[in-house]
Amino acid sequence: MILHWSKKKSITGNKATPYLRSIILLFVFYLPITGVSQTKLNVHGYLTQAFAISDGHQILGIPSTGTSDYRTLALQFRFDLDEASNFVIQLSHKKTGKSPLAVLEKDIALDWAFFQHKFSNQYSIKVGKIQIPFGIYNEVRDVGVLLPFYGLPYAPYGEGGYMSETVDGLSITFMSEDFNPWNFEFSIYAGHWSWSEWFNTKNVFSGALEQQVGIAQIEKGVGGQLVLNTPVDGLRLIAAGQFGRVVDGLSFSENGILGPKNFYDGLLAIDADFEKYFFRSEFLFLALDKTDVQVNAGYAQAGYYFSESFSLNIQGEMFRVNYLTLPPILSKITGKSSFSFDFDIDYAIGFKYNFSSNYTLKLEGHWNKGYLVEEIALSPFQEKAAETLYSILSLSTSF
Amino acid sequence: MKRLVISLLVIIIILPAVFTIAKNKKGYKVVTGTSTNTKSIGKDELSRIFLKKKHKWGDGVRIFPVDLVESRKERTEFSKDIHNKKVSSIKAYWQKQIFTGRGVPPPEKVTDSEVLDYIQQHEGAIGYVSNSTSIENLKIKVITVTDD
């Protein structure tokens, strides 16, 4: 699917949705006080509402005038059919300010819905629309109370960064129990998922900005993840990988820049969460078959807990694209046979204050250099990366 | 003089022990139904039960752990003592379990009497209440927690 327009307009929403949204917002803020938990049905949810502003360029949907149209919200319903089987469904509402990808947002979207059965304490299966176990954060990417910053690092989790939250298919998980103090969890999954893509171009005649948005489909996708819990309490190591065929969208359609391609990626992560501090880092490698394009992306973040309520967090991330051999036209423009550029570099510092385990306030500042700016078209082959400062103030709750 | 030295020595030896006993005296006691065939339990096993990593007693009866709410000081002490973690860390663990669809936490009760009611209503239930709470005339017993 490709959406193409020069004047942005919403393709979602109707007259009823503001009322529906208000009801859900009230519901989410009311539930932490009352709680809804029964033997057969459990209702949980989360909400993060933010105000974000940038110093000049528009980036990640954040304009220089600021936006409060920046939130994530979800309601989860879990039905326990018996001791071993359950059905889980999660509905969400997400707003990303003025992001080009905002046109893909639905007022109420189905996050995931799956049937889960535990054959034993070790083996379980999920069937349906399932969260992809990939790295430290992919399964909890919007749960604000759990995150040190408002959002996840663009590398490797960014919208448009070759990453999906869910797979339509099945997953099987094995959890070891017999290797104390070491134990591990291994998951494999297969099915179909999708990536969102966007980029800016200049109209060759008028010079006007044109934003292009597309959804690439991953067919016959398979993946797996190994989480190794070490004897050091709070320290775990993760290795993950995926393989599939990408079609459609902006780059991978028959007439796209790259055409249909096989892709494979791999991820290594370390997650250390201790009494006084935490350190997390992930590194992603992605390659497209029969092209000379590779992506190396990663981040490191650390935090110090001054108290149980208050922490200081820092983060650095990098998303690097390598053209091992440039196509002739690009080689002529750059005068080089190969080309590498940092698509995104971002450094952040933030404070997090927990009023309780269920209410969290975050204030963060980011310095970004790259090609994620949204109000102009920047070519990495011809122009320098843009520098942007942006800040986000957010309040999160969950129940 | 000899008596004074002996008395001082006794005080020096006994006093720290008295303080240690006082310090180690827990503010909570772990309780279960009288039908549960368990007299004592290790800290590690108890932690696994409250994290829902262990689901059944030795005789196959399903375990129903019941917690106290975050604001109760017994919850803080139980988390530190049994899980060796802050309550906020345990809460974060459950938020991850919930929002990955893996599981939900034990029910949380505000008062000790609610915990005791829950245990009497659910065969195989286990919880903890304040040390000063009476369980007389209830079908509930205290089980000893060992250091594994």
Side-chain angles (χ1 to χ4, degrees):
Chain A
M1 181 174 80
I2 296 178
L3 306 169
H4 182 194
W5 69 102
S6 53
K7 190 175 180 181
K8 212 186 276 185
K9 59 181 180 181
S10 173
I11 60 168
T12 60
N14 57 49
K15 285 180 181 176
T17 51
Y19 299 106
L20 188 59
R21 194 162 54 227
S22 303
I23 290 166
I24 289 173
L25 281 168
L26 281 171
F27 189 50
V28 169
F29 273 116
Y30 175 69
L31 279 168
I33 301 164
T34 61
V36 176
S37 179
Q38 297 172 15
T39 309
K40 294 289 182 187
L41 169 66
N42 284 277
V43 182
H44 292 278
Y46 60 80
L47 164 67
T48 297
Q49 172 64 54
F51 174 77
I53 188 165
S54 88
D55 80 326
H57 290 295
Q58 181 181 306
I59 186 168
L60 302 172
I62 304 170
S64 58
T65 51
T67 180
S68 57
D69 198 24
Y70 222 63
R71 76 184 72 90
T72 59
L73 181 160
L75 272 180
Q76 183 196 102
F77 302 89
R78 177 190 174 97
F79 304 90
D80 288 325
L81 304 174
D82 56 44
E83 281 181 38
S85 305
N86 51 63
F87 181 73
V88 191
I89 184 168
Q90 185 165 300
L91 304 172
S92 70
H93 163 81
K94 187 170 185 175
K95 285 291 176 185
T96 52
K98 296 186 178 298
S99 166
L101 295 172
V103 293
L104 301 175
E105 292 165 357
K106 294 172 182 166
D107 279 309
I108 304 293
L110 177 66
D111 248 4
W112 33 268
F114 60 81
F115 170 76
Q116 179 173 237
H117 181 75
K118 290 180 182 173
F119 296 103
S120 65
N121 278 351
Q122 283 81 44
Y123 290 97
S124 64
I125 188 170
K126 287 180 184 174
V127 180
K129 188 175 172 70
I130 306 157
Q131 317 102 302
I132 293 179
F134 197 80
I136 295 169
Y137 288 119
N138 201 46
E139 293 175 274
V140 291
R141 54 165 58 212
D142 292 320
V143 189
V145 290
L146 293 175
L147 309 178
F149 296 94
Y150 173 82
L152 295 177
Y154 185 83
Y157 294 106
E159 300 286 349
Y162 303 124
M163 180 68 89
S164 174
E165 189 176 356
T166 57
V167 52
D168 294 326
L170 64 86
S171 74
I172 296 169
T173 299
F174 173 76
M175 296 174 75
S176 78
E177 284 193 329
D178 303 328
F179 302 99
N180 214 6
W182 292 84
N183 65 74
F184 66 88
E185 179 180 326
F186 181 63
S187 303
I188 53 170
Y189 51 90
H192 166 267
W193 64 89
S194 58
W195 294 331
S196 50
E197 295 180 276
W198 73 271
F199 53 73
N200 287 346
T201 55
K202 283 175 195 160
N203 185 297
V204 290
F205 300 108
S206 66
L209 177 73
E210 294 187 341
Q211 291 183 320
Q212 298 187 58
V213 177
I215 299 176
Q217 307 294 333
I218 286 72
E219 297 175 340
K220 297 174 185 172
V222 293
Q225 174 169 275
L226 176 69
V227 179
L228 185 65
N229 294 303
T230 72
V232 179
D233 192 21
L235 176 65
R236 60 186 187 139
L237 307 170
I238 299 172
Q242 295 177 326
F243 174 83
R245 183 160 180 81
V246 204
V247 299
D248 218 346
L250 297 177
S251 310
F252 304 100
S253 63
E254 290 293 344
N255 300 319
I257 302 162
L258 297 167
K261 287 281 177 286
N262 292 328
F263 88 96
Y264 56 93
D265 64 22
L267 177 139
L268 292 173
I270 180 170
D271 180 5
D273 196 350
F274 302 123
E275 186 85 6
K276 294 300 289 182
Y277 65 92
F278 74 84
F279 174 80
R280 296 180 188 118
S281 185
E282 300 190 72
F283 177 78
L284 174 81
F285 171 82
L286 181 141
L288 298 165
D289 193 27
K290 294 176 183 171
T291 70
D292 290 324
V293 185
Q294 294 178 350
V295 169
N296 298 321
Y299 74 91
Q301 61 183 202
Y304 183 79
Y305 304 109
F306 288 99
S307 69
E308 201 164 338
S309 304
F310 186 64
S311 64
L312 169 68
N313 305 313
I314 55 171
Q315 176 180 282
E317 64 176 71
M318 174 272 299
F319 192 105
R320 188 166 181 79
V321 181
N322 301 309
Y323 282 79
L324 303 180
T325 307
L326 276 178
I329 187 166
L330 292 175
S331 185
K332 197 172 180 182
I333 291 170
T334 60
K336 296 175 181 174
S337 59
S338 62
F339 193 74
S340 297
F341 63 94
D342 292 322
F343 182 72
D344 167 58
I345 295 175
D346 193 289
Y347 296 106
I349 183 167
F351 297 97
K352 182 178 178 183
Y353 184 79
N354 301 320
F355 297 102
S356 71
S357 301
N358 296 329
Y359 289 98
T360 296
L361 182 72
K362 282 177 261 183
L363 176 63
E364 61 200 72
H366 294 252
W367 175 85
N368 185 285
K369 185 177 181 182
Y371 297 88
L372 282 171
V373 292
E374 295 161 348
E375 86 289 8
I376 52 172
L378 274 184
S379 166
F381 303 100
Q382 293 173 293
E383 289 151 303
K384 284 185 178 176
E387 290 184 28
T388 312
L389 292 169
Y390 62 97
S391 304
I392 304 173
L393 176 68
S394 61
L395 182 66
S396 302
T397 182
S398 76
F399 65 91
Chain B
M1 185 63 188
K2 195 178 174 183
R3 277 186 183 175
L4 183 65
V5 170
I6 290 170
S7 300
L8 277 173
L9 278 171
V10 168
I11 288 169
I12 288 166
I13 292 164
I14 290 176
L15 260 185
V18 170
F19 279 121
T20 306
I21 289 164
K23 194 181 170 188
N24 285 345
K25 191 165 170 58
K26 295 179 178 66
Y28 66 88
K29 56 191 172 193
V30 176
V31 288
T32 184
T34 48
S35 62
T36 305
N37 294 323
T38 302
K39 288 179 180 172
S40 69
I41 192 167
K43 280 184 179 178
D44 184 55
E45 188 181 3
L46 191 56
S47 174
R48 287 169 55 76
I49 285 172
F50 274 81
L51 297 177
K52 289 194 174 178
K53 291 179 177 175
K54 177 174 173 150
H55 306 282
K56 288 181 178 174
W57 294 109
D59 56 7
V61 174
R62 188 177 173 192
I63 305 174
F64 290 94
V66 54
D67 234 325
L68 284 169
V69 291
E70 191 177 0
S71 56
R72 288 286 301 270
K73 65 177 190 300
E74 291 84 2
R75 171 76 183 266
T76 307
E77 198 179 344
F78 184 84
S79 284
K80 195 71 193 164
D81 197 26
I82 303 303
H83 300 301
N84 198 26
K85 289 193 184 302
K86 296 175 286 189
V87 178
S88 58
S89 299
I90 299 299
K91 286 284 216 178
Y93 166 82
W94 279 115
Q95 281 161 339
K96 280 180 200 164
Q97 294 294 107
I98 290 167
F99 295 114
T100 55
R102 286 186 170 88
V104 292
E108 292 182 342
K109 304 297 180 186
V110 179
T111 65
D112 287 356
S113 62
E114 285 177 286
V115 171
L116 298 175
D117 285 348
Y118 183 90
I119 291 172
Q120 291 190 104
Q121 287 162 13
H122 295 81
E123 188 191 359
I126 183 170
Y128 55 94
V129 292
S130 166
N131 232 341
S132 58
T133 298
S134 171
I135 56 168
E136 258 184 71
N137 303 323
L138 299 175
K139 289 181 178 175
I140 284 176
K141 65 180 182 184
V142 176
I143 57 175
T144 311
V145 179
T146 62
D147 285 335
D148 295 315

